[in-house]
């Protein structure tokens, strides 16, 4: 089984971290292929960058030359999953939805702890679109930028751990979802501080994708995710050469 795991930003070290987390939970026989978009922002923290990332991820996956069995979109609250589902027959798993749906097996209510406050509405919208808001206690921001996870890891860890603790104590969350693809290494720290299960979206997405492939399930093409209609598209793609 081959699973493509596509980072939504262009920071290679973050792609490496996402790949390492994906491989750490993948079953024997599962090959993880990590992809970095050829264009886009170094981190995705708003709507403009998210829409740009959606195009970049779709084109990066579309250009991949070898067969694959599933795709993971490794960005929290990002746009574009539906476009990938139109383009592909194989399962497409978004880490936001994978983390939240997994959390619902583990406790009555879950909270998401993410980076900047401006990312909160994007995550809330993604959860609402997926029908996963009823048991969401809160989406909290740590105030740390995505790249702070690499630039100032000690401060980032402390801010995220403290916000997770507030979610449990104040919002009555029983499970914490780490709201960024680059937060995997924080799982144990947050668990120690809060005493609740902690779900990393990349790890959850890998196991969901593997399960869908083993069950022989594919994306429905009856209506919503039917293939794009054949038509002329002018001057496209502008960034990726054949």
């Amino acid at each position: 089984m081959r699973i493509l795991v596509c980072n939504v930003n262009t920071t290679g070290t973050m792609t490496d971290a996402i790949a390492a987390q994906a491989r750490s939970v993948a079953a024997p026989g599962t090959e993880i292929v990590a992809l970095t978009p050829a264009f886009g922002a170094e981190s995705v923290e708003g709507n403009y960058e998210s829409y740009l990332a959606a195009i970049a991820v779709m084109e990066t996956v579309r250009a991949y030359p070898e067969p694959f069995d599933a795709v993971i979109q490794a960005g929290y609250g990002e746009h574009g999953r539906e476009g990938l589902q139109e383009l592909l027959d194989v399962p497409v798993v978004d880490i936001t939805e994978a983390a939240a749906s997994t959390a619902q097996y583990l406790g009555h209510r879950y909270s998401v702890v993410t980076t900047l406050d401006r990312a909160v509405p994007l995550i809330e919208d993604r959860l609402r679109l997926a029908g996963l808001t009823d048991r969401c206690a809160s989406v909290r921001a740590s105030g740390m930028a995505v790249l702070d996870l690499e630039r100032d890891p000690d401060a980032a860890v402390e801010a995220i751990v403290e916000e997770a603790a507030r979610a449990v104590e104040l919002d009555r969350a029983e499970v914490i979802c780490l709201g960024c693809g680059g937060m995997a290494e924080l799982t144990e720290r947050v668990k120690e501080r809060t005493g609740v299960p902690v779900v990393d979206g990349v790890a959850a997405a890998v196991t969901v994708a593997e399960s869908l492939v083993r069950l022989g399930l594919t994306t429905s093409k009856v209506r919503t995710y039917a293939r794009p209609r054949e038509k002329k598209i002018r001057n496209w793609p502008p960034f990726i050469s054949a």
Side-chain angles (χ1 to χ4, degrees), residues 1 25-31 210 214:
M1 182 188 310
V25 299
T30 296
E31 178 188 2
E210 287 179 327
R214 290 197 183 95

Side-chain angles (χ1 to χ4, degrees), residues 110-175:
Y110 70 92
S111 284
V112 178
V113 178
T114 189
T115 50
L116 298 179
D117 183 65
R118 65 179 298 159
V120 170
L122 277 72
I123 295 171
E124 290 175 336
D125 286 350
R126 173 52 63 188
L127 294 173
R128 188 175 297 110
L129 186 64
L132 293 166
T133 55
D134 284 352
R135 288 165 61 186
C136 180
S138 60
V139 180
R140 284 179 165 267
S142 65
M144 306 299 290
V146 171
L147 296 180
D148 286 338
L149 295 169
E150 295 185 349
R151 286 193 297 244
D152 193 356
D154 291 338
V157 167
E158 187 60 28
I160 292 161
V161 169
E162 286 303 311
E163 208 58 45
R166 292 188 187 100
V168 174
E169 295 162 9
L170 302 178
D171 305 330
R172 311 299 290 173
E174 298 176 10
V175 184

Side-chain angles (χ1 to χ4, degrees), residues 28-200:
T30 296
E31 178 188 2
I32 299 295
V33 178
L35 302 177
T36 304
F39 62 93
E42 61 181 346
S43 63
V44 179
E45 295 167 319
N47 282 284
Y48 171 74
E49 294 163 353
S50 181
Y51 279 111
L52 184 61
I55 298 169
V57 168
M58 284 188 283
E59 290 304 306
T60 299
V61 170
R62 202 163 65 92
Y64 184 76
E66 302 296 330
F68 53 90
D69 301 291
V71 174
I72 292 171
Q73 180 173 299
Y76 223 91
E78 310 307 341
H79 302 91
R81 186 261 296 161
E82 296 85 356
L84 279 172
Q85 287 182 293
E86 286 188 6
L87 291 171
L88 305 172
D89 294 321
V90 302
V92 177
V93 181
D94 170 85
I95 67 171
T96 315
E97 298 171 11
S101 58
T102 299
Q104 293 185 141
Y105 288 105
L106 306 174
H108 182 62
R109 304 183 79 200
Y110 70 92
S111 284
V112 178
V113 178
T114 189
T115 50
L116 298 179
D117 183 65
R118 65 179 298 159
V120 170
L122 277 72
I123 295 171
E124 290 175 336
D125 286 350
R126 173 52 63 188
L127 294 173
R128 188 175 297 110
L129 186 64
L132 293 166
T133 55
D134 284 352
R135 288 165 61 186
C136 180
S138 60
V139 180
R140 284 179 165 267
S142 65
M144 306 299 290
V146 171
L147 296 180
D148 286 338
L149 295 169
E150 295 185 349
R151 286 193 297 244
D152 193 356
D154 291 338
V157 167
E158 187 60 28
I160 292 161
V161 169
E162 286 303 311
E163 208 58 45
R166 292 188 187 100
V168 174
E169 295 162 9
L170 302 178
D171 305 330
R172 311 299 290 173
E174 298 176 10
V175 184
I176 294 295
C177 295
L178 298 176
C180 176
M183 287 184 179
E185 295 181 359
L186 308 185
T187 302
E188 288 304 316
R189 289 283 299 274
V190 175
K191 184 177 178 180
E192 289 173 6
R193 176 67 175 83
T194 62
V196 305
V198 180
V199 182
D200 168 67

